[in-house]
Amino acid sequence: MEGIEHRTVKVNGTNIHIAEKGEGPVILFLHGFPELWYSWRHQILALSSMGYRAVAPDLRGYGDSDVPDSVDSYTCFHIIGDLVELINVVDPDEGKVFVVGHDWGAILGWYLCMFRPDKVKALVNLSPVDFWISYYGSDHYMSRFQEYGEIEGEFAEIGVERVVKEYLSDFPVLLPKGKLFKRPLDEAITLPFWLSEEEASYYVTKFQKTGFTGPLNFYRNLNRNWELLKPWLGSKIKTPAKFIMGDKDLVYGVPGMKDYIHNGGFQEDVPSLQQVVVMEGVGHFINMEKPDEINQYIYDFFTQFH
């Protein structure tokens, strides 16, 4: 990770750790669950060599950023409040940046464009999880994350290392009680080709330090966010956007999803959506699995807006 600089900035009353590299227009990279700035390591190195300044925070609750105690501190407004101030810190002259989001970070990308379109030049979103929200039963991970402390207890029995590696290897959508993961716990995990033991251990070390409650509190605000977002009901996202997803991402297989993405519904909600890319044979962690292609897609899209 040569040349990547780290610092902590105080924004919105919260200490946020950022990793950054490069000179030029700022690209703000927003990670998902259970991830860190580190998920963008390939993009930071590549885009910083292509004339951009890459900035990737640990979102509140994660990694080396503050982990507020209260569930109420993780609404969409709190997190977007962090990001708006962070944009002002990293780009004080213009106060407007390019944004790339993945998973929860992609939801935050939409929110940022909805609340503060003046802050975003263009958006690339990868594998968002907001499409799940209308489609999950009691074993679905979003349901299982709702009860404070419950899933933390189950994760603790299994151990941070196993939980993190299970998620990064094969994002589990269903978490049945008593048998959270498909593999028996005494069976070794074979990491995917795109993740080394050394890379996996970086995540494990950080989650051993912070635990999972902060990240889980994002999900515990889904219903609250739904209430808070009522004033924006029916509003359209007008920021130029590009959407990339793997066809092996389980979100892509949700009933009605392909129809929504390809037959006009998505375009109606995001009128400025310029391109949808579905990558064959690629799963959820698309930016780590296919970094060269993703880097090129990001570069090609953002260069239009200089």
Side-chain angles (χ1 to χ4, degrees), residues 47-184:
L47 275 301
S48 65
S49 72
M50 295 173 172
Y52 288 92
R53 180 174 164 208
V55 177
D58 285 333
L59 298 172
R60 69 162 60 197
Y62 283 88
D64 292 320
S65 292
D66 280 354
V67 182
D69 291 332
S70 167
V71 176
D72 299 338
S73 299
Y74 292 85
T75 71
C76 52
F77 290 156
H78 289 87
I79 297 152
I80 298 305
D82 296 347
L83 297 178
V84 167
E85 281 199 37
L86 181 59
I87 290 169
N88 293 340
V89 169
V90 298
D91 193 356
D93 297 334
E94 198 174 357
K96 190 174 189 178
V97 299
F98 294 107
V99 176
V100 181
H102 173 259
D103 185 86
W104 249 105
I107 300 181
L108 299 177
W110 297 133
Y111 286 163
L112 195 50
C113 293
M114 200 157 63
F115 303 155
R116 293 299 302 270
D118 58 308
K119 292 289 175 196
V120 186
K121 295 176 182 175
L123 173 70
V124 172
N125 260 354
L126 316 173
S127 322
V129 288
D130 44 341
F131 298 130
W132 279 128
I133 293 171
S134 58
Y135 180 80
Y136 59 87
S138 59
D139 278 346
H140 190 285
Y141 75 98
M142 289 195 181
S143 294
R144 297 278 279 115
F145 287 176
Q146 294 305 311
E147 191 61 45
Y148 189 88
E150 183 180 292
I151 198 77
E152 286 96 324
E154 293 178 51
F155 282 172
E157 285 176 30
I158 292 167
V160 170
E161 181 175 1
R162 185 80 189 199
V163 171
V164 169
K165 286 182 175 178
E166 286 280 8
Y167 264 95
L168 293 175
S169 300
D170 182 17
F171 198 97
V173 173
L174 300 177
L175 295 172
K177 285 187 181 178
K179 191 182 185 310
L180 291 186
F181 302 114
K182 292 177 201 160
R183 269 179 286 252

Side-chain angles (χ1 to χ4, degrees), residues 272-287:
S272 51
L273 183 68
Q274 296 193 6
Q275 194 181 7
V276 171
V277 178
V278 178
M279 296 177 72
E280 282 185 26
V282 185
H284 183 66
F285 296 101
I286 192 166
N287 45 317

Side-chain angles (χ1 to χ4, degrees), residues 223-293:
N223 291 334
R224 180 90 177 103
N225 287 345
W226 194 247
E227 293 167 9
L228 293 170
L229 290 169
K230 287 291 166 64
W232 285 270
L233 194 65
S235 73
K236 310 291 186 191
I237 291 167
K238 300 188 175 72
T239 306
K242 179 170 184 163
F243 177 82
I244 311 170
M245 188 170 213
D247 68 352
K248 295 277 187 282
D249 191 321
L250 292 167
V251 179
Y252 192 60
V254 168
M257 180 54 53
K258 294 182 183 72
D259 182 62
Y260 174 74
I261 290 174
H262 300 293
N263 294 335
F266 194 15
Q267 187 78 56
E268 192 176 315
D269 289 339
V270 187
S272 51
L273 183 68
Q274 296 193 6
Q275 194 181 7
V276 171
V277 178
V278 178
M279 296 177 72
E280 282 185 26
V282 185
H284 183 66
F285 296 101
I286 192 166
N287 45 317
M288 292 190 272
E289 192 173 336
K290 293 285 182 188
D292 295 344
E293 291 92 328

